[in-house]
């Protein structure tokens, strides 16, 4: 183990929430982020049916179970295998949350539509701020799309997003789908981390519309969700990628172009 790794292990061991999680048998310190979010925003209730996107190693699954109790149901998905939990009404499956078949599998396993969808998924970190930010926006967009298929009307949504230039646009997009949208950083989230949480309350019940005028949607325009999952409601706009008279849209369009170029360069490394 290198010097830097050793320092990281020591720091982690001295971390307040890491110790607390160990004491209370939570699989990750992240459990406290969800518990704090819930205390402040009242997102999950007893008896609720919760979907957790990006759930490994299972800290949010455990915290959710503590909130929904025996009458609730919690199902999570992660790219990584999750060690099974003892409780019967916590299910974890392995899969990619950005794939249609994974979301269908979750729908098959759920007793009814979700009361709450939570997403703490993180992309692989490249170390380049704009790339990591855009990957996080991509995952959060996919989480929103999945949520419009999983969540019942008036249900709640929590999603982690790394801060950056496209963050405000993501929050704006959420206001099209939820009655109330708020952003926050719980105490258990490290101040050095770029993560913030966006809370959407009272889902309006409409499916994701890829034709709304939000340039960030272009980040995921090749995704199978958009091609096969989402009903085509309008003709795809031809030519002009961004609206001519909207300066903000233009700026965002250029930003996305830059991010795509940067990402291309990184993947060749
Ligand atoms: C910060 S961890 C989640 C921690 C979890 N909330 C907990 O309390 O234990 C982020 C997770 O997102 C998962 N993830 C990233 N992209 C994913 C994807 N496309 N589908 C499913 N899981 C994904 C990663 O594998 C990782 O386990």
């Amino acid at each position: 183990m290198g010097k830097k790794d050793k320092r990281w292990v020591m720091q982690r061991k001295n971390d307040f929430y890491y110790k607390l999680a160990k004491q209370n048998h939570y699989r990750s310190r992240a459990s406290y982020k969800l518990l704090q979010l819930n205390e402040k925003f009242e997102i999950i209730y007893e008896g609720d049916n919760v979907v957790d996107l990006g759930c490994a190693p299972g800290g949010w699954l455990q915290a959710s179970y503590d909130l929904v109790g025996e009458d609730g149901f919690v199902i999570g998905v992660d790219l990584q295998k999750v060690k099974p939990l003892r409780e019967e009404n916590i299910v974890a499956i392995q899969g990619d949350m950005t794939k249609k078949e994974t979301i269908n599998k979750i729908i098959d396993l759920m007793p009814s539509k979700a009361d709450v969808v939570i997403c703490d998924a993180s992309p692989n970190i490249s170390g380049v701020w704009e790339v990591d930010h855009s990957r996080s926006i991509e995952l959060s967009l996919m989480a929103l799309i999945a949520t419009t298929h999983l969540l019942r009307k008036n249900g709640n949504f929590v999603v982690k997003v790394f801060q950056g230039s496209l963050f405000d646009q993501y929050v704006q997009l959420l206001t099209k789908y939820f009655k109330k949208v708020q952003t926050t950083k719980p105490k258990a989230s490290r101040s050095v981390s770029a993560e913030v949480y966006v809370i959407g309350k009272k889902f309006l019940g409409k499916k994701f519309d890829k034709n709304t005028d939000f340039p960030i949607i272009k980040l995921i325009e090749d995704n199978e969700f958009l091609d096969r999952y989402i009903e085509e409601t309008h003709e795809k706009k031809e030519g002009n990628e961004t609206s001519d008279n909207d300066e903000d849209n233009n700026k965002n369009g250029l930003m996305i172009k830059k991010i795509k170029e940067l990402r291309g360069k990184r993947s060749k490394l």
Side-chain angles (χ1 to χ4, degrees):
M1 203 186 285
K3 243 186 191 173
K4 224 172 160 185
D5 294 337
K6 269 191 196 152
R7 206 180 317 137
W8 182 81
V9 171
M10 283 311 291
Q11 267 169 6
R12 198 168 81 134
K13 285 196 171 155
N14 287 325
D15 178 273
F16 175 74
Y17 290 106
Y18 175 82
K19 285 186 194 161
L20 209 57
K22 282 263 168 237
Q23 267 169 32
N24 292 314
H25 308 287
Y26 282 128
R27 290 183 178 182
S28 76
R29 67 188 294 294
S31 299
Y32 291 98
K33 298 181 199 172
L34 184 63
L35 293 171
Q36 288 168 358
L37 288 170
N38 195 62
E39 203 175 309
K40 191 165 171 193
F41 295 97
E42 297 179 342
I43 302 154
I44 301 174
Y45 290 91
E46 219 175 311
D48 272 355
N49 182 7
V50 177
V51 177
D52 183 359
L53 304 171
C55 66
W60 276 29
L61 292 175
Q62 293 174 298
S64 296
Y65 177 77
D66 288 349
L67 295 168
V68 301
E70 284 176 10
D71 295 332
F73 180 78
V74 184
I75 179 163
V77 63
D78 203 284
L79 292 171
Q80 295 172 39
K81 205 166 171 30
V82 178
K83 217 169 100 202
L85 285 128
R86 248 182 308 140
E87 293 77 7
E88 257 179 30
N89 50 347
I90 310 183
V91 178
I93 61 168
Q94 193 171 9
D96 183 344
M97 59 168 262
T98 71
K99 298 273 186 260
K100 176 184 158 187
E101 58 266 25
T102 311
I103 302 305
N104 280 338
K105 207 164 164 186
I106 295 174
I107 292 171
D108 284 346
L109 290 166
M110 284 192 321
S112 60
K113 276 207 155 185
D115 300 296
V116 185
V117 177
I118 54 182
C119 176
D120 192 29
S122 301
N124 282 332
I125 304 297
S126 73
V128 179
W129 177 280
E130 279 302 339
V131 172
D132 292 339
H133 166 59
S134 77
R135 283 183 182 158
S136 158
I137 292 282
E138 274 176 63
L139 258 186
S140 318
L141 278 170
M142 297 312 296
L144 171 64
I145 296 172
T147 296
T148 67
H149 290 268
L150 294 164
L151 194 60
R152 69 163 169 83
K153 196 169 174 198
N154 287 322
N156 298 329
F157 176 52
V158 177
V159 61
K160 173 167 77 186
V161 186
F162 293 168
Q163 291 171 78
S165 50
L166 304 172
F167 179 76
D168 288 347
Q169 206 189 124
Y170 181 75
V171 175
Q172 273 304 310
L173 179 62
L174 243 62
T175 63
K176 305 283 172 215
Y177 296 90
F178 293 89
K179 199 164 173 195
K180 192 168 185 186
V181 178
Q182 288 157 290
T183 63
T184 189
K185 190 169 174 73
K187 251 175 139 177
S189 172
R190 292 190 176 96
S191 53
V192 290
S193 161
E195 70 184 17
V196 275
Y197 289 83
V198 187
I199 293 120
K201 290 195 79 174
K202 291 195 177 287
F203 176 47
L204 299 173
K206 61 173 184 179
K207 295 274 183 294
F208 188 79
D209 177 6
K210 70 171 181 174
N211 294 300
T212 42
D213 208 6
F214 281 86
I216 50 169
I217 293 171
K218 292 192 185 308
L219 281 172
I220 51 162
E221 66 188 351
D222 302 329
N223 194 286
E224 65 163 322
F225 260 108
L226 291 181
D227 296 338
R228 289 194 256 143
Y229 226 151
I230 313 297
E231 280 169 16
E232 289 278 350
T233 47
H234 308 281
E235 283 300 305
K236 205 176 167 187
K237 270 193 214 156
E238 294 289 343
N240 248 358
E241 287 215 329
T242 53
S243 128
D244 287 341
N245 44 14
D246 186 334
E247 216 177 283
D248 274 353
N249 278 357
N250 252 327
K251 237 171 45 197
N252 283 319
L254 284 172
M255 172 68 65
I256 287 160
K257 204 170 150 218
K258 205 179 103 200
I259 287 166
K260 282 187 169 176
E261 281 167 11
L262 250 174
R263 197 188 306 154
K265 271 188 202 153
R266 299 269 326 159
S267 62
K268 281 187 206 129
L269 291 179

